[in-house]
Amino acid sequence: MHATHLLLEEPIRMASILEPSKTNFYSAMTRIVGTLGSKSRSVEVLSGCLKAGMSGLMLAGFPNVILMVFCVWIVVVARFDFSLGDAEYHQETLENLKIAVKATKKLCAVMLDTVGAELQVINKSESSISLKADGLVVLTPNQDQEANSEILPISFDGLAKAVKKGDTIFMGQYLFTGSETTSVWLEVSEVKGADVVCVVKNSATLSGALFTLHVSQVHIDLPTLTEKDKEVIRTWGVKNSIDFLSLSYTRHAEDVREARQFLSTLGDIGQTQIFAKIENIEGLTHFDEILQEADGIILSRGNLGIDLPPEKVFLFQKAAVYKCNMAGKPAVVTRVVDSMTDNLRPTRAEATDVANAVLDGTDAILLGAETLRGFYPVETISIVGKICAEAEKVFNQDLYFKKTVKYVGEPMSHLESIASSAVRAAIKVKASIIICFTSSGRAARLIAKYRPTMPVLSVVIPRLKTNQLRWSFTGAFEVGPTARQSLIVRGLFPMLADPRHPAESTNSTNESVLKVALDHGKASGVIKSHDRVVVCQKVGDSSVVKIIELED
């Protein structure tokens, strides 16, 4: 695989661009987070989403030796946005997803997206509302009012105190898209008591039950984790053992700390990873401190992209992804193929945007409206996955590796040294895969941090705790957070060791697990005879990297 990589800095034959892409056992190293909603909640569509872009099969387990859940699909994280729909609605969707997971034999993680400090327009009648350029519209906290082209009831009673004449407000269905026909740009004209009178800057027709507001570069005095959010996490989140919490409107590191403290009180989801969504100037200003506290970052370009001047958006993306890469924490980029909400193909600019996100080093692409209410969720996932795969072929891994090693500096920590050495060895010997034995997942994530050109297979070894296994193996949603949480890390593919081979097992047991892993790799086409494999594992108190050349 490594030998076929062509860097963008090298001459590219135009004819080679027209050659059909070669398929791998996986579709792409870069992951896709799909938001589930009205157009993507049936078992049929969810099954299609799970299979979109597939070119391989899940490895079957040998119950006597090892149970392996091997991820070779594109959609790896299902996002449930609680800005839209109640707990019952999302539970129905999740139950359908479980059926689809069982039918397709694919593994999928669950992300709960909070509402946070989001401002909403309440449109109870769900009728379309047309706004005309240069007209006036009043934003009122009086939710007894019926939404129409002259007055819009909102969910926040403090807007009049937060804004002043000349401030900019953006509004649209789900999120402001930037389209001049489905989103509207407002300018505050005056404040009348609790109401805010705005001038409409462009003609637009808004449809649906809910529109969201974004006040550009203005602090909104709402908590990042609201009481409603806490109740949803306490009930729906705990019940469904969520893997990720997407913390909307993260503005300070303290927001993450408070969310983590809250999760720690809920027992079963204490291991849930927190991904901070950076959506406004406050979050950008405190980005470094937030990154230190969060498990990952979601670059929410929808809101932040209108808080920033257009010419600054790309700088934020590149700087933020770089910082995430160097910290070894997943970076997720949003709002890449908006036009596919209504169209079967992305624009040329959008296709290039996806590729550039991959070349920047992003771990995952998050699809929002495209899969939530878009007409082509399966096709969107498939096309985005194909673009990611093509971009990965020209990703300059050598330059990235050197940059990462230089950033980490010396002396390296023990684990960092082992991880970077494993990647360097794998590239030098042109290994097919890197296999890493891990219990916490940290070692595997560190290896993936160096972006090897081959997949990293993380053999997750369960731990015994008070004579009770932390994991159950009855279905894909019960395999444990360590494995599922790796599904958002670029290039990392989890496998689960049999619970009879715990983390404290002997070297001989690990060797038997490794043999089964290699046998399965051969059977699925991941590796073949005479391929080289790099293995990273603990032997006694030492961590070792070894190279194996497979026989016939």
Side-chain angles (χ1 to χ4, degrees):
M1 177 183 169
H2 175 70
T4 64
H5 270 235
L6 177 69
L7 303 182
L8 282 177
E9 289 77 7
E10 298 173 355
I12 298 176
R13 292 185 304 109
M14 289 299 172
S16 69
I17 296 173
L18 301 178
E19 293 173 0
S21 300
K22 294 180 180 179
T23 58
N24 297 308
F25 78 99
Y26 56 88
S27 297
M29 296 276 205
T30 307
R31 305 307 170 78
I32 293 181
V33 181
T35 305
L36 304 187
S38 58
K39 293 293 194 296
S40 55
R41 63 194 307 259
S42 70
V43 174
E44 180 183 7
V45 172
L46 288 168
S47 297
C49 288
L50 288 169
K51 293 186 289 186
M54 279 290 298
S55 59
L57 300 173
M58 173 179 159
L59 298 179
F62 283 137
N64 293 332
V65 186
I66 183 172
L67 173 63
M68 301 172 67
V69 183
F70 193 54
C71 312
V72 294
W73 48 93
I74 282 186
V75 181
V76 288
V77 181
R79 173 175 173 255
F80 293 82
D81 188 348
F82 275 79
S83 295
L84 297 166
D86 57 19
E88 183 179 355
Y89 177 89
H90 288 302
Q91 191 63 44
E92 289 175 1
T93 305
L94 181 55
E95 294 306 319
N96 286 344
L97 177 61
K98 290 180 180 180
I99 295 171
V101 163
K102 186 175 181 180
T104 59
K105 295 183 173 65
K106 313 303 177 193
L107 185 63
C108 188
V110 173
M111 175 182 284
L112 189 161
D113 195 298
T114 64
V115 178
E118 181 175 84
L119 308 186
Q120 301 173 339
V121 175
I122 312 300
N123 182 20
K124 295 178 182 177
S125 69
E126 299 189 28
S127 57
S128 296
I129 297 174
S130 293
L131 301 173
K132 300 296 183 183
D134 300 323
L136 296 177
V137 66
V138 177
L139 305 180
T140 178
N142 182 3
Q143 295 185 25
D144 293 330
Q145 292 272 10
E146 190 71 31
N148 56 53
S149 59
E150 296 177 351
I151 192 163
L152 297 172
I154 62 175
S155 60
F156 178 50
D157 60 9
L159 184 63
K161 296 179 182 178
V163 299
K164 62 184 184 302
K165 183 176 181 178
D167 281 347
T168 300
I169 299 175
F170 296 98
M171 179 170 59
Q173 184 185 7
Y174 186 61
L175 283 174
F176 180 80
T177 64
S179 166
E180 292 183 358
T181 57
T182 60
S183 297
V184 68
W185 169 19
L186 307 174
E187 184 179 294
V188 176
S189 174
E190 62 176 317
V191 175
K192 287 186 175 182
D195 295 343
V196 178
V197 182
C198 300
V199 177
V200 180
K201 305 298 287 184
N202 66 283
S203 297
T205 299
L206 306 175
S207 59
L210 183 74
F211 319 130
T212 56
L213 296 179
H214 182 82
V215 187
S216 183
Q217 300 192 25
V218 171
H219 173 76
I220 299 299
D221 191 20
L222 283 172
T224 300
L225 195 65
T226 66
E227 289 305 315
K228 181 180 177 181
D229 290 329
K230 290 180 180 179
E231 181 60 23
V232 166
I233 297 167
R234 191 182 293 115
T235 54
W236 194 91
V238 171
K239 175 182 177 181
N240 296 296
S241 302
I242 58 171
D243 302 296
F244 303 104
L245 180 71
S246 170
L247 192 61
S248 297
Y249 295 94
T250 303
R251 292 166 284 193
H252 302 273
E254 185 59 30
D255 296 337
V256 182
R257 286 191 286 267
E258 289 179 3
R260 200 176 302 284
Q261 173 60 33
F262 175 68
L263 289 178
S264 71
T265 67
L266 302 179
D268 289 346
I269 61 170
Q271 296 181 73
T272 296
Q273 290 191 351
I274 298 174
F275 274 56
K277 281 179 74 180
I278 308 301
E279 308 197 52
N280 51 34
I281 293 294
E282 284 182 273
L284 183 151
T285 304
H286 302 103
F287 184 87
D288 290 345
E289 306 97 275
I290 292 170
L291 178 60
Q292 274 192 309
E293 292 293 331
D295 297 300
I297 297 289
I298 297 176
L299 313 180
S300 186
R301 302 190 308 174
N303 285 329
L304 186 56
I306 54 179
D307 237 15
L308 286 171
E311 67 272 17
K312 298 289 187 180
V313 176
F314 84 97
L315 286 174
F316 161 71
Q317 176 173 317
K318 288 183 177 294
V321 171
Y322 172 78
K323 287 175 179 288
C324 289
N325 288 168
M326 296 303 103
K329 295 185 178 183
V332 182
V333 173
T334 71
R335 306 305 295 272
V336 289
V337 286
D338 284 348
S339 72
M340 289 198 75
T341 304
D342 302 305
N343 299 298
L344 195 53
R345 286 169 60 90
T347 66
R348 279 77 64 197
E350 288 173 335
T352 303
D353 192 23
V354 174
N356 280 328
V358 174
L359 295 174
D360 283 345
T362 190
D363 287 83
I365 300 294
L366 190 153
L367 300 174
E370 305 97 321
T371 53
L372 174 83
R373 60 181 175 85
F375 293 108
Y376 309 102
V378 176
E379 292 84 355
T380 301
I381 290 164
S382 177
I383 289 174
V384 169
K386 289 176 182 177
I387 297 170
C388 290
E390 287 296 318
E392 288 163 10
K393 292 176 183 177
V394 294
F395 181 74
N396 194 331
Q397 195 281 336
D398 183 58
L399 179 62
Y400 178 92
F401 184 91
K402 291 175 181 176
K403 180 173 62 177
T404 308
V405 169
K406 182 178 179 181
Y407 179 89
V408 171
E410 295 179 355
M412 282 185 172
S413 68
H414 178 73
L415 261 183
E416 192 98 37
S417 176
I418 291 293
S420 59
S421 297
V423 174
R424 182 185 288 110
I427 291 172
K428 291 292 184 184
V429 302
K430 294 182 171 58
S432 297
I433 56 172
I434 300 173
I435 297 178
C436 177
F437 288 80
T438 181
S439 55
S440 67
R442 187 183 170 205
R445 288 193 299 271
L446 270 178
I447 291 173
K449 168 184 173 179
Y450 286 88
R451 295 286 188 263
T453 54
M454 65 290 297
V456 180
L457 308 188
S458 173
V459 181
V460 182
I461 312 291
R463 288 184 180 275
L464 290 172
K465 184 178 181 182
T466 62
N467 295 322
Q468 295 292 322
L469 285 172
R470 284 166 56 188
W471 299 344
S472 145
F473 293 85
T474 57
F477 280 82
E478 287 78 39
V479 296
T482 301
R484 290 195 306 266
Q485 286 167 353
S486 67
L487 296 175
I488 206 166
V489 179
R490 179 164 159 178
L492 192 54
F493 298 84
M495 300 154 57
L496 297 179
D498 189 286
R500 286 163 291 186
H501 296 154
E504 294 78 13
S505 61
T506 64
N507 184 52
S508 60
T509 303
N510 280 344
E511 289 302 316
S512 68
V513 172
L514 175 59
K515 182 180 184 304
V516 175
L518 293 173
D519 288 344
H520 277 266
K522 289 179 184 178
S524 65
V526 180
I527 52 180
K528 57 186 183 299
S529 297
H530 305 297
D531 274 2
R532 289 169 179 168
V533 174
V534 168
V535 180
C536 182
Q537 66 183 121
K538 285 201 80 171
V539 177
D541 294 329
S542 303
S543 297
V544 299
V545 174
K546 62 183 180 182
I547 301 167
I548 299 172
E549 186 161 345
L550 302 182
E551 299 175 351
D552 289 331

